[in-house]
Amino acid sequence: MDAVPEDWERALAIVAHPDDLEYGGSTAVAKWTGQGKTVVEVLATRGEAGIDGMDPEEAGRVRAAEQVEAARRVGVDTVEFLGLPDGMLEYGLPLRRALTAAIRRHRPEVVVSLNFRESFPDGGFNMADHRVLGLAVADAVRDAGNRWVFRDLGLEPWPGVRFALFGSSPRSTHYVDVSGHLQDGIDSLLAHKEYYANLGAGFDAAAFLTGMMEPAGRALGVEHAMVFEMIET
């Protein structure tokens, strides 16, 4: 497995829900912002359907605020929400158009997202929003560079994305050495305190991320590692 290249300056992280990026990806973000790189986050939804005992309007407000705090903890100042319906994302031109607009606006060299495969590395079935959003991200990277696609956006094409990274994929190909940044990632995941309190599952953020990154690091000869599936453009 090769190391993710880090000779770039701007990344755009695009995920479906508040907390998606914090399951490992934000640990890598903490490393990158610590190097002086700029990372912007774009979320398709506000996660309003994620708390069963809370009205969606209130849940969306709470979860968006928690995402902004989670981002702040890993050095991200800009968080955008597209306002699409949580739990009901649909693959198609409207979603690709919205993501293409985000890529053209922010003009990143690297795009980061979540696993779009049917399953996670442990064999668990991946949810629809993740599958739909991740695949649309992969396609929007190409769309963003084609000046004849989504011409109505009024935005200049951006063919400058070098590669896209998808965390928690069963087909991981590359890794980021996040040694020294594990606690940053844990802190960012812990920012979603209201969400986890309402789930009532006793989730242990430190154990979860350590259990993911310590074995990966050991296998790769570093202390901690976050692995990604890379699609080069």
Side-chain angles (χ1 to χ4, degrees):
M1 189 175 290
D2 295 326
V4 171
E6 294 184 338
D7 57 337
W8 49 268
E9 296 300 325
R10 301 184 313 280
L12 178 63
I14 310 174
V15 292
H17 317 105
D19 88 347
D20 281 352
L21 191 62
E22 282 65 58
Y23 290 102
S26 65
T27 310
V29 169
K31 178 185 183 181
W32 295 330
T33 59
Q35 294 172 334
K37 303 183 192 303
T38 298
V39 181
V40 171
E41 296 182 12
V42 170
L43 286 89
T45 81
R46 292 178 176 269
E48 68 274 8
I51 301 177
D52 183 66
M54 186 180 290
D55 179 81
E57 185 174 343
E58 175 66 7
R61 185 193 66 77
V62 167
R63 297 199 68 197
E66 290 184 339
Q67 184 60 45
V68 170
E69 173 60 17
R72 185 195 67 77
R73 294 183 182 188
V74 291
V76 175
D77 298 323
T78 302
V79 182
E80 296 181 358
F81 298 90
L82 300 181
L84 300 175
D86 183 16
M88 295 182 285
L89 294 181
E90 294 182 285
Y91 182 87
L93 292 179
L95 181 57
R96 282 171 51 194
R97 183 180 185 278
L99 301 182
T100 295
I103 294 169
R104 288 179 179 173
R105 282 198 312 274
H106 294 290
R107 306 173 80 78
E109 298 162 80
V110 175
V111 169
V112 183
S113 192
L114 191 66
N115 175 29
F116 59 85
R117 305 292 181 182
E118 287 192 354
S119 64
F120 287 108
D122 65 1
F125 189 62
N126 196 4
M127 71 172 295
D129 277 1
H130 296 162
R131 303 195 315 270
V132 165
L133 189 282
L135 184 59
V137 167
D139 289 333
V141 166
R142 178 172 292 177
D143 295 335
N146 188 334
R147 69 175 57 256
W148 308 123
V149 174
F150 301 125
R151 286 177 282 172
D152 61 313
L153 288 172
L155 296 166
E156 285 297 310
W158 178 245
V161 178
R162 292 170 50 188
F163 53 84
L165 300 171
F166 298 86
S168 301
S169 171
R171 301 187 189 181
S172 294
T173 57
H174 289 71
Y175 75 95
V176 177
D177 179 356
V178 294
S179 303
H181 298 279
L182 177 60
Q183 189 58 51
D184 297 323
I186 293 169
D187 289 343
S188 71
L189 185 51
L190 288 173
H192 298 279
K193 57 184 180 181
E194 188 74 16
Y195 176 62
Y196 290 118
N198 279 272
L199 288 182
F203 178 71
D204 188 331
F208 178 85
L209 290 180
T210 302
M212 172 191 296
M213 297 183 187
E214 195 170 78
R218 188 163 52 247
L220 292 162
V222 299
E223 185 179 6
H224 297 116
M226 175 63 190
V227 297
F228 293 92
E229 178 176 355
M230 178 188 286
I231 295 179
E232 297 186 69
T233 59

